[in-house]
Amino acid sequence: MWYAITGQDVPDSLEKRLASRPAHIARLQALQAEGRLLLAGPFPAVDAEDPGTAGYTGSLIVAEFASLSAAQEWAHADPYLVGGVYERVSVQPFKKAFPA
C-alpha cells in the first residue's frame, strides 16, 4: 500500500537540511530503485522553485510499504528526522486515484 510521509521542518532548518541531504537522498534513491517511490519533494518556504536562503518548511514522500508500521519505521529512521531537520513526521495510508 502507498503511504504519505510528511515531515515538518524546525525553524531555520536549511543548514541541517543541507548536511543531512546526501543520506536522505540515498534512501529515496533506494526506494526508487525498488519501484516503491511514487513521489518526493520539499515544500519551499516561499513561492519559488528555488527558495534560496528562505529554505523549506518540510517534505512530502509517497512510497509503498508492506504496512503502516513498516512505513513509520522507515520514516523515523530518516536522516532529516535523526539530523534535527524535521520537528515531527506523520505517516498516513494513501490511496492513489489520479492519474489512473
Side-chain angles (χ1 to χ4, degrees):
M1 178 165 194
W2 295 110
Y3 293 89
I5 300 168
T6 306
Q8 179 70 43
D9 282 23
V10 299
D12 301 315
S13 63
L14 186 57
E15 191 172 310
K16 291 177 183 178
R17 185 178 266 273
L18 294 173
S20 300
R21 190 171 192 276
H24 173 77
I25 295 298
R27 294 178 86 231
L28 293 173
Q29 289 171 330
L31 285 177
Q32 184 176 16
E34 295 168 4
R36 297 172 43 210
L37 182 65
L38 183 62
L39 64 90
F43 300 120
V46 295
D47 188 14
E49 187 76 22
D50 179 358
T53 59
Y56 300 90
T57 61
S59 303
L60 171 65
I61 299 164
V62 179
E64 188 176 36
F65 292 92
S67 65
L68 177 59
S69 62
Q72 290 169 328
E73 183 178 324
W74 187 92
H76 289 113
D78 191 287
Y80 278 0
L81 184 61
V82 175
V85 176
Y86 291 156
E87 182 174 43
R88 65 182 173 277
V89 172
S90 68
V91 181
Q92 298 177 278
F94 179 81
K95 182 176 178 179
K96 181 181 178 284
F98 289 96

